[in-house]
Amino acid sequence: MAEKLLTRYEELKAQVNFHNYRYHVLDAPVISDLEYDRLLNELKKIEADHPDWITTDSPTQRAGARPADRFEKIRHPAPILSLANAFGAEDARAWYERVLKIDDRVEKAKFVVEPKIDGLSVVLHYRDGLFVQGATRGDGEIGEDITSNLRTIRAIPLKIPVTREQTAVKGKQASITNYQLPRHLVVRGEAFIPIKEFDELNKKLEEAGEKTYLNPRNTAAGSLRQLDPQLTASRPLTLLVYQIVHSEGGKVPTSQWEILEYLKALGFPVADVARRFNNLESAIAYTETWNEGRDKLSYEADGMVIKIDDLNLAADLGFVGKDPRGAIAFKFPAREVTTTLLGIEVEVGRTGVLTPKAVLEAVEIGGVIVRSATLHNFDFIEEKDIRIGDRVLVKRAGEVIPYVIGPVVDARSGKEKKYKPPTTCPACGQAVEHFEGEVAWYCVNAACPAQLLRNVEHFVSRGAMDIEGLGTELVKILVESDLVSDVADLFSLTIKDLAVINEELNRRRREKNPPKTPVKTSTKKAPDKRPEKLFNAISEAKKQPLQRVIIGVGIHGVGEVMAKDLSATFGDLDKLSTVSIEDLMTIEGVGPNIAESIVDWFSKPSNKKLLGKLKKAGVWPTESKKASKASGKLSGLTFVVTGTLPTLSRDGVKEFIESHGGKVIDSVSKKTSYLVLGENPGSKLDKAQSLGVKVIDEAELKKLAGR
Ligand code: IVH
């Protein structure tokens, strides 16, 4: 009886470990959570009755350990090395030339490219297939024993191979059977917190009103060095392995690529974006695709590692200090840097929101010099305890504007100064207000010049009324010269007014950039066409469709899609200004908050006055419902646009296609009906051609639409 139960116990351990592997390593579970829990509970029950049976590879032993007083030191069986950096393809080629000079076998070498994960190096020991010890890198010779903490990471197999049969996925069996599992196997990997899990962790902390973490790397490092493994267990740590540091009593592969395959077959998590190439140039080309594509990775990577595949050759090449010559870290441009916070300025937005802006000591981030960054809002400064003079961590990634992540508290000298948010608007001097349930502070003075400036900027912008030629500089002059007190005033500007502000613009530009040689006054200059052009552009804007006017006046919460729906549903501003919250909520995507914000906007006297002026100026478009989507000539067709078109702007072409019933999407697929091609197209053209998607130009598009 007991024997039978013991067999069942062994079976359950293997099963739970296997399903754990399917879930945490392969990210492909084959049973439901409920079934998993059932197996685990059965296992726990047996262990409760037979505590003497429990072994270290039992899945129940992951978070059982008690807090430690300190970490013991562990000497690594071989040095845990570092990597030399390459900043770009030229550096990588120079590395190749250097190693080629040392050993001509490099000429025929293959290269493995792996992500350089921004985490923490860990060293895992397996004896007879059981996970027995794990350490931090430490100084490369001696690390700290963090076995109990590492056990809590479910991606780390407690026993390898996880199961011989199940890991033998097509042909991979050979990866194990060609070799012999060493009695002592020491594997190195990188422990980290995936970006999504990090964001979720911070969101939870924020909701609980607790302090959030700076970045995934610091959090992973802190989590692994907790004395209480229960704390480590509560953090979403995972890992990827990439190296066999040491092996004894067995046979392991001697090529990096096969090591990765072998480790994978044993049940370890291995980066799935790793590739092997026959020459350096292909390896560089692949590496560079990840420079642009790094956001597709689920973890932070600060580069890719290029490794000579033949590990015997790599070892023969030797080291420079702690850096092996056989591999190089191809670094991506940094996206996070530290710099000094020199001061905090406050900007006033279109809706009166005050936004604190960090004035920074100039610093390069990813090839761009950054001098300022957003600090989000005043609560953020307070929560993060950001002080003037602090060293701050600043991030600039992709399209988002640079932002401050937080202070480097350890770098404080004591001279840093606390910041006090303003009690008055920096633009108009009136007292600022705070609304219940919102973090933002507002300047509620409707006549605040800073707000007016942002309002006009928004109104004339490409996404709204698209008035060409009215740039930020001109708008500023218009507002400063009191020629406009709201956006409707734009339509009563005369050519003479525009000539005056144009003159002022020219004067300011000259002042900024004085001409090197004195301007000859005798030669006749061609008459300046700008005032007339501006006048015409403003007149043209009166014909803009309703949705653009709705976007232009700036109603809190109403973006492009909603403006389109409002315009199609209500048809004109007379109707829209009298609708009820209930009417609005019949529109898909309009919730009570937005509905209230719309009704509120139309009920404000200043906005009523603005609408009256717009109507008088003839800016009162109506949406005839004739252009209903299904009836247009382009209905049922999907379009992708690439490059610059001769007459239509980005938004313009979208509007054109949609007004004729067509649909515009971002990327080309087999289902795309047409690619509309302009000048300087991107990679979409290649894709369209390879998929056999028809390519047309603007003229052909217009013909299709029956224009
Ligand atoms: S190889 C000889 N491969 O980057 C082996 N390192 O400065 C040398 N890292 O401390 C390391 N991902 O913590 C290697 N795929 C990868 C890596 C990687 C991240 C880290 C590692 C090391 C640092 C190099």
Side-chain angles (χ1 to χ4, degrees), residues 87-111:
F87 298 95
E90 279 319 304
D91 271 8
R93 290 185 189 113
W95 162 68
Y96 177 84
E97 293 302 329
R98 282 199 303 277
V99 287
L100 182 62
K101 265 195 203 138
I102 298 173
D103 196 320
D104 56 15
R105 282 179 292 167
V106 169
E107 206 186 335
K108 295 223 167 61
K110 293 181 182 169
F111 297 88

mmCIF file of all heavy atoms in Angstrom, residues 87-111:
data_model
loop_
_atom_site.group_PDB
_atom_site.id
_atom_site.type_symbol
_atom_site.label_atom_id
_atom_site.label_comp_id
_atom_site.label_asym_id
_atom_site.label_seq_id
_atom_site.Cartn_x
_atom_site.Cartn_y
_atom_site.Cartn_z
ATOM 1 N N PHE A 87 29.810 49.499 -29.707
ATOM 2 C CA PHE A 87 28.735 50.463 -29.915
ATOM 3 C C PHE A 87 28.560 50.643 -31.412
ATOM 4 O O PHE A 87 29.128 51.542 -32.008
ATOM 5 C CB PHE A 87 29.042 51.793 -29.228
ATOM 6 C CG PHE A 87 29.181 51.641 -27.730
ATOM 7 C CD1 PHE A 87 30.429 51.476 -27.145
ATOM 8 C CD2 PHE A 87 28.058 51.624 -26.924
ATOM 9 C CE1 PHE A 87 30.551 51.319 -25.777
ATOM 10 C CE2 PHE A 87 28.174 51.473 -25.546
ATOM 11 C CZ PHE A 87 29.425 51.314 -24.966
ATOM 12 N N GLY A 88 27.867 49.721 -32.046
ATOM 13 C CA GLY A 88 27.625 49.830 -33.474
ATOM 14 C C GLY A 88 28.418 48.821 -34.281
ATOM 15 O O GLY A 88 29.322 48.142 -33.783
ATOM 16 N N ALA A 89 28.046 48.741 -35.564
ATOM 17 C CA ALA A 89 28.597 47.728 -36.469
ATOM 18 C C ALA A 89 30.110 47.871 -36.647
ATOM 19 O O ALA A 89 30.837 46.872 -36.706
ATOM 20 C CB ALA A 89 27.894 47.819 -37.816
ATOM 21 N N GLU A 90 30.592 49.127 -36.693
ATOM 22 C CA GLU A 90 32.026 49.321 -36.921
ATOM 23 C C GLU A 90 32.844 48.715 -35.786
ATOM 24 O O GLU A 90 33.863 48.053 -36.025
ATOM 25 C CB GLU A 90 32.346 50.816 -37.067
ATOM 26 C CG GLU A 90 32.068 51.356 -38.449
ATOM 27 C CD GLU A 90 32.495 50.392 -39.569
ATOM 28 O OE1 GLU A 90 33.685 50.006 -39.596
ATOM 29 O OE2 GLU A 90 31.642 50.005 -40.397
ATOM 30 N N ASP A 91 32.393 48.924 -34.564
ATOM 31 C CA ASP A 91 33.064 48.345 -33.401
ATOM 32 C C ASP A 91 33.074 46.823 -33.498
ATOM 33 O O ASP A 91 34.056 46.170 -33.157
ATOM 34 C CB ASP A 91 32.319 48.727 -32.118
ATOM 35 C CG ASP A 91 32.812 50.034 -31.536
ATOM 36 O OD1 ASP A 91 33.623 50.698 -32.221
ATOM 37 O OD2 ASP A 91 32.397 50.380 -30.422
ATOM 38 N N ALA A 92 31.958 46.260 -33.940
ATOM 39 C CA ALA A 92 31.852 44.798 -34.023
ATOM 40 C C ALA A 92 32.825 44.271 -35.082
ATOM 41 O O ALA A 92 33.485 43.248 -34.891
ATOM 42 C CB ALA A 92 30.420 44.393 -34.357
ATOM 43 N N ARG A 93 32.938 45.006 -36.190
ATOM 44 C CA ARG A 93 33.878 44.586 -37.251
ATOM 45 C C ARG A 93 35.319 44.690 -36.754
ATOM 46 O O ARG A 93 36.151 43.835 -37.068
ATOM 47 C CB ARG A 93 33.682 45.436 -38.506
ATOM 48 C CG ARG A 93 32.368 45.130 -39.181
ATOM 49 C CD ARG A 93 32.192 45.869 -40.500
ATOM 50 N NE ARG A 93 30.823 45.665 -40.940
ATOM 51 C CZ ARG A 93 29.903 46.622 -41.025
ATOM 52 N NH1 ARG A 93 30.214 47.871 -40.753
ATOM 53 N NH2 ARG A 93 28.677 46.328 -41.398
ATOM 54 N N ALA A 94 35.600 45.735 -35.983
ATOM 55 C CA ALA A 94 36.957 45.911 -35.454
ATOM 56 C C ALA A 94 37.299 44.746 -34.517
ATOM 57 O O ALA A 94 38.422 44.233 -34.525
ATOM 58 C CB ALA A 94 37.066 47.246 -34.719
ATOM 59 N N TRP A 95 36.306 44.334 -33.729
ATOM 60 C CA TRP A 95 36.504 43.173 -32.846
ATOM 61 C C TRP A 95 36.859 41.939 -33.677
ATOM 62 O O TRP A 95 37.802 41.221 -33.375
ATOM 63 C CB TRP A 95 35.221 42.919 -32.041
ATOM 64 C CG TRP A 95 35.123 41.549 -31.437
ATOM 65 C CD1 TRP A 95 35.887 41.049 -30.427
ATOM 66 C CD2 TRP A 95 34.228 40.493 -31.826
ATOM 67 N NE1 TRP A 95 35.518 39.748 -30.155
ATOM 68 C CE2 TRP A 95 34.494 39.386 -30.996
ATOM 69 C CE3 TRP A 95 33.212 40.385 -32.787
ATOM 70 C CZ2 TRP A 95 33.800 38.173 -31.107
ATOM 71 C CZ3 TRP A 95 32.509 39.195 -32.882
ATOM 72 C CH2 TRP A 95 32.813 38.104 -32.054
ATOM 73 N N TYR A 96 36.120 41.744 -34.755
ATOM 74 C CA TYR A 96 36.343 40.596 -35.638
ATOM 75 C C TYR A 96 37.771 40.622 -36.193
ATOM 76 O O TYR A 96 38.484 39.625 -36.174
ATOM 77 C CB TYR A 96 35.323 40.654 -36.784
ATOM 78 C CG TYR A 96 35.476 39.564 -37.812
ATOM 79 C CD1 TYR A 96 34.911 38.316 -37.608
ATOM 80 C CD2 TYR A 96 36.182 39.791 -39.003
ATOM 81 C CE1 TYR A 96 35.032 37.313 -38.551
ATOM 82 C CE2 TYR A 96 36.306 38.794 -39.947
ATOM 83 C CZ TYR A 96 35.733 37.555 -39.720
ATOM 84 O OH TYR A 96 35.869 36.571 -40.657
ATOM 85 N N GLU A 97 38.191 41.805 -36.654
ATOM 86 C CA GLU A 97 39.543 41.925 -37.213
ATOM 87 C C GLU A 97 40.594 41.583 -36.155
ATOM 88 O O GLU A 97 41.586 40.910 -36.446
ATOM 89 C CB GLU A 97 39.796 43.348 -37.750
ATOM 90 C CG GLU A 97 38.948 43.722 -38.965
ATOM 91 C CD GLU A 97 39.135 42.769 -40.147
ATOM 92 O OE1 GLU A 97 40.251 42.218 -40.299
ATOM 93 O OE2 GLU A 97 38.151 42.550 -40.893
ATOM 94 N N ARG A 98 40.356 42.040 -34.942
ATOM 95 C CA ARG A 98 41.315 41.765 -33.860
ATOM 96 C C ARG A 98 41.438 40.276 -33.599
ATOM 97 O O ARG A 98 42.539 39.738 -33.511
ATOM 98 C CB ARG A 98 40.871 42.455 -32.556
ATOM 99 C CG ARG A 98 41.153 43.937 -32.499
ATOM 100 C CD ARG A 98 41.132 44.441 -31.056
ATOM 101 N NE ARG A 98 39.885 44.173 -30.347
ATOM 102 C CZ ARG A 98 38.785 44.923 -30.428
ATOM 103 N NH1 ARG A 98 38.773 46.005 -31.203
ATOM 104 N NH2 ARG A 98 37.711 44.615 -29.747
ATOM 105 N N VAL A 99 40.308 39.570 -33.510
ATOM 106 C CA VAL A 99 40.395 38.144 -33.180
ATOM 107 C C VAL A 99 40.871 37.323 -34.376
ATOM 108 O O VAL A 99 41.510 36.290 -34.220
ATOM 109 C CB VAL A 99 39.080 37.572 -32.579
ATOM 110 C CG1 VAL A 99 38.885 38.072 -31.164
ATOM 111 C CG2 VAL A 99 37.870 37.893 -33.428
ATOM 112 N N LEU A 100 40.585 37.824 -35.567
ATOM 113 C CA LEU A 100 41.060 37.130 -36.768
ATOM 114 C C LEU A 100 42.584 37.130 -36.804
ATOM 115 O O LEU A 100 43.226 36.156 -37.211
ATOM 116 C CB LEU A 100 40.487 37.817 -38.020
ATOM 117 C CG LEU A 100 40.836 37.192 -39.363
ATOM 118 C CD1 LEU A 100 40.288 35.762 -39.449
ATOM 119 C CD2 LEU A 100 40.284 38.017 -40.522
ATOM 120 N N LYS A 101 43.165 38.233 -36.355
ATOM 121 C CA LYS A 101 44.630 38.345 -36.324
ATOM 122 C C LYS A 101 45.226 37.331 -35.353
ATOM 123 O O LYS A 101 46.317 36.807 -35.566
ATOM 124 C CB LYS A 101 45.034 39.756 -35.882
ATOM 125 C CG LYS A 101 45.294 40.645 -37.068
ATOM 126 C CD LYS A 101 46.036 41.900 -36.642
ATOM 127 C CE LYS A 101 45.786 42.979 -37.675
ATOM 128 N NZ LYS A 101 45.544 44.279 -37.062
ATOM 129 N N ILE A 102 44.510 37.039 -34.283
ATOM 130 C CA ILE A 102 45.012 36.106 -33.280
ATOM 131 C C ILE A 102 44.889 34.664 -33.762
ATOM 132 O O ILE A 102 45.767 33.845 -33.533
ATOM 133 C CB ILE A 102 44.245 36.295 -31.941
ATOM 134 C CG1 ILE A 102 44.487 37.701 -31.403
ATOM 135 C CG2 ILE A 102 44.633 35.244 -30.914
ATOM 136 C CD1 ILE A 102 43.653 38.053 -30.201
ATOM 137 N N ASP A 103 43.789 34.378 -34.457
ATOM 138 C CA ASP A 103 43.549 32.985 -34.866
ATOM 139 C C ASP A 103 42.811 32.967 -36.201
ATOM 140 O O ASP A 103 41.691 33.481 -36.287
ATOM 141 C CB ASP A 103 42.717 32.292 -33.778
ATOM 142 C CG ASP A 103 42.741 30.779 -33.912
ATOM 143 O OD1 ASP A 103 42.672 30.294 -35.074
ATOM 144 O OD2 ASP A 103 42.832 30.100 -32.875
ATOM 145 N N ASP A 104 43.416 32.365 -37.230
ATOM 146 C CA ASP A 104 42.755 32.452 -38.538
ATOM 147 C C ASP A 104 41.549 31.516 -38.677
ATOM 148 O O ASP A 104 40.836 31.563 -39.664
ATOM 149 C CB ASP A 104 43.754 32.290 -39.696
ATOM 150 C CG ASP A 104 44.532 31.001 -39.595
ATOM 151 O OD1 ASP A 104 44.105 30.124 -38.808
ATOM 152 O OD2 ASP A 104 45.567 30.876 -40.283
ATOM 153 N N ARG A 105 41.293 30.687 -37.659
ATOM 154 C CA ARG A 105 40.060 29.874 -37.709
ATOM 155 C C ARG A 105 38.819 30.774 -37.631
ATOM 156 O O ARG A 105 37.719 30.362 -37.998
ATOM 157 C CB ARG A 105 40.032 28.885 -36.528
ATOM 158 C CG ARG A 105 40.922 27.666 -36.723
ATOM 159 C CD ARG A 105 40.856 26.776 -35.501
ATOM 160 N NE ARG A 105 41.481 27.395 -34.324
ATOM 161 C CZ ARG A 105 41.341 26.938 -33.075
ATOM 162 N NH1 ARG A 105 40.598 25.884 -32.833
ATOM 163 N NH2 ARG A 105 41.949 27.546 -32.063
ATOM 164 N N VAL A 106 39.028 31.992 -37.133
ATOM 165 C CA VAL A 106 37.904 32.926 -36.993
ATOM 166 C C VAL A 106 37.252 33.189 -38.362
ATOM 167 O O VAL A 106 36.045 33.423 -38.457
ATOM 168 C CB VAL A 106 38.388 34.247 -36.340
ATOM 169 C CG1 VAL A 106 37.328 35.334 -36.406
ATOM 170 C CG2 VAL A 106 38.808 33.994 -34.893
ATOM 171 N N GLU A 107 38.067 33.094 -39.408
ATOM 172 C CA GLU A 107 37.540 33.381 -40.741
ATOM 173 C C GLU A 107 36.363 32.463 -41.099
ATOM 174 O O GLU A 107 35.434 32.869 -41.788
ATOM 175 C CB GLU A 107 38.652 33.243 -41.771
ATOM 176 C CG GLU A 107 38.357 34.105 -42.959
ATOM 177 C CD GLU A 107 39.346 33.914 -44.081
ATOM 178 O OE1 GLU A 107 40.490 33.499 -43.806
ATOM 179 O OE2 GLU A 107 38.958 34.165 -45.221
ATOM 180 N N LYS A 108 36.447 31.227 -40.632
ATOM 181 C CA LYS A 108 35.369 30.266 -40.956
ATOM 182 C C LYS A 108 34.338 30.156 -39.826
ATOM 183 O O LYS A 108 33.445 29.316 -39.893
ATOM 184 C CB LYS A 108 35.992 28.879 -41.195
ATOM 185 C CG LYS A 108 36.908 28.819 -42.411
ATOM 186 C CD LYS A 108 36.649 27.542 -43.188
ATOM 187 C CE LYS A 108 37.284 27.572 -44.564
ATOM 188 N NZ LYS A 108 38.749 27.707 -44.544
ATOM 189 N N ALA A 109 34.495 30.989 -38.826
ATOM 190 C CA ALA A 109 33.646 30.830 -37.635
ATOM 191 C C ALA A 109 32.179 31.159 -37.912
ATOM 192 O O ALA A 109 31.852 31.978 -38.772
ATOM 193 C CB ALA A 109 34.161 31.722 -36.513
ATOM 194 N N LYS A 110 31.323 30.484 -37.143
ATOM 195 C CA LYS A 110 29.898 30.845 -37.126
ATOM 196 C C LYS A 110 29.665 31.701 -35.888
ATOM 197 O O LYS A 110 30.482 31.682 -34.952
ATOM 198 C CB LYS A 110 29.042 29.591 -37.035
ATOM 199 C CG LYS A 110 29.127 28.734 -38.287
ATOM 200 C CD LYS A 110 28.258 27.527 -38.150
ATOM 201 C CE LYS A 110 28.408 26.674 -39.388
ATOM 202 N NZ LYS A 110 27.803 25.377 -39.223
ATOM 203 N N PHE A 111 28.546 32.423 -35.892
ATOM 204 C CA PHE A 111 28.259 33.326 -34.771
ATOM 205 C C PHE A 111 26.843 33.113 -34.249
ATOM 206 O O PHE A 111 25.912 32.952 -35.036
ATOM 207 C CB PHE A 111 28.414 34.781 -35.216
ATOM 208 C CG PHE A 111 29.814 35.113 -35.645
ATOM 209 C CD1 PHE A 111 30.221 34.915 -36.964
ATOM 210 C CD2 PHE A 111 30.738 35.577 -34.720
ATOM 211 C CE1 PHE A 111 31.520 35.182 -37.356
ATOM 212 C CE2 PHE A 111 32.036 35.859 -35.105
ATOM 213 C CZ PHE A 111 32.440 35.655 -36.431
#
